[in-house]
Amino acid sequence: MHDRNSVLAAKLAKLLSDTVVAKFIYQGYHWNVLGPDFGEYHEFFGKLYEDAESAIDPTAENILKSGFPAPYMLTDFCEMSSIKEERLDGSSTKFLLDSALRVNGQLLACHLDAFMVATECNEQGVADFLAQRIDTLKKWNWQIKAYLGVR
Ligand SMILES: [Fe+2]
């Protein structure tokens, strides 16, 4: 159904935008983290940004497979994304982890939303991709919380 597919494409475009913004946030934290645990967090934020980056291309290609053009301009990504960037407050790991938890939670919510629409559209390939992303984002949710010392 064309209408539903356009809803799915719009959800995926929003998802793509959120993923691009999250990638830059995580990479910024990978660069700017400070403190005695620098090495560990530098590596952890490296994993987060590489994971977000690895999701960008397949997300865009799922939009194209649905028959719609993929957005590619940074201006459009910033406009479509609902993830707010935060200026660093001296790069304390607590600030970075709290921020990463919020970003990851927004990404997760956006994926769950898109997954529901993909299922309604009977787009099993897209749903499968999103399900795998959801699983990975849940893993990050657990690990960021573990660093923060909470469940
Ligand atoms: Fe690096």
Side-chain angles (χ1 to χ4, degrees):
M1 228 210 276
H2 187 77
D3 271 2
R4 271 193 180 171
N5 278 349
S6 70
V7 173
L8 178 60
K11 294 274 179 201
L12 291 173
K14 158 80 167 59
L15 183 55
L16 178 62
S17 305
D18 282 350
T19 306
V20 168
V21 171
K23 181 259 173 192
F24 278 100
I25 291 174
Y26 293 149
Q27 192 161 26
Y29 295 177
H30 165 76
W31 291 334
N32 290 296
V33 63
L34 291 171
D37 299 323
F38 167 81
E40 194 166 343
Y41 288 106
H42 176 68
E43 199 180 316
F44 183 62
F45 289 119
K47 282 187 196 161
L48 291 182
Y49 98 73
E50 281 172 6
D51 175 61
E53 187 164 74
S54 76
I56 289 173
D57 195 58
T59 303
E61 292 186 355
N62 274 317
I63 300 173
L64 292 157
K65 284 188 272 177
S66 308
F68 292 86
Y72 62 94
M73 290 177 66
L74 291 177
T75 338
D76 293 339
F77 288 142
C78 291
E79 207 173 277
M80 278 189 283
S81 174
S82 56
I83 294 179
K84 199 173 153 286
E85 296 166 293
E86 292 172 299
R87 286 215 190 270
L88 300 176
D89 75 338
S91 315
S92 80
T93 52
K94 169 88 168 89
F95 174 90
L96 299 180
L97 289 168
D98 281 341
S99 173
L101 186 62
R102 178 185 61 82
V103 170
N104 188 70
Q106 284 184 270
L107 271 183
L108 184 54
C110 193
H111 278 75
L112 290 167
D113 193 31
F115 177 81
M116 268 174 41
V117 179
T119 308
E120 280 166 18
C121 292
N122 212 21
E123 286 286 347
Q124 307 304 351
V126 179
D128 179 56
F129 166 71
L130 294 170
Q132 287 178 48
R133 291 299 305 152
I134 288 166
D135 193 50
T136 301
L137 293 167
K138 285 188 173 177
K139 184 184 79 175
W140 297 136
N141 184 63
W142 152 53
Q143 294 196 353
I144 297 166
K145 279 184 165 176
Y147 272 123
L148 284 164
V150 296
R151 291 224 186 268

